[in-house]
Amino acid sequence: MGGVLGIAGGSETRAQFIVMEYFGAAKGERPTVLVGKGVTFDSGGLNLKPGDHMYEMHMDMSGGAAVIHAVALAAKLGVQSKCGGAGARS
């Protein structure tokens, strides 16, 4: 969490920690847990990437987006499993 909070320190927006849960199975079943990191463009701080590599910054949020969509898809499809996701957004 220190890394996420450190990055968010340069932003006008507070860091967020998102937890999503889907309960599609019996109570005793152990959940599948996914973790993803999502850093958005407004994080502030220093720009260490040269200009020709700035296009790659959209990938900085892909871990968090993948977790959110995986849990949402499990719920939409009615998957018979417990799953949850946690991710930080700064």
Side-chain angles (χ1 to χ4, degrees):
M1 285 306 286
V4 172
L5 295 175
I7 290 171
S11 177
E12 293 179 5
T13 307
R14 292 178 60 190
Q16 298 175 342
F17 191 73
I18 301 164
V19 176
M20 296 177 67
E21 296 176 303
Y22 168 68
F23 300 100
K27 253 187 176 177
E29 184 177 328
R30 293 176 61 179
T32 299
V33 179
L34 307 170
V35 178
K37 172 186 70 79
V39 177
T40 56
F41 294 105
D42 67 345
S43 295
L46 297 174
N47 176 12
L48 301 177
K49 294 184 181 179
D52 58 340
H53 292 282
M54 290 296 287
Y55 73 93
E56 297 172 349
M57 287 188 68
H58 71 279
M59 298 301 291
D60 289 349
M61 54 74 62
S62 61
V67 169
I68 289 170
H69 287 285
V71 176
L73 184 61
K76 185 175 183 173
L77 295 176
V79 173
Q80 297 297 306
S81 179
K82 277 189 196 175
C83 67
R89 177 197 168 277
S90 60

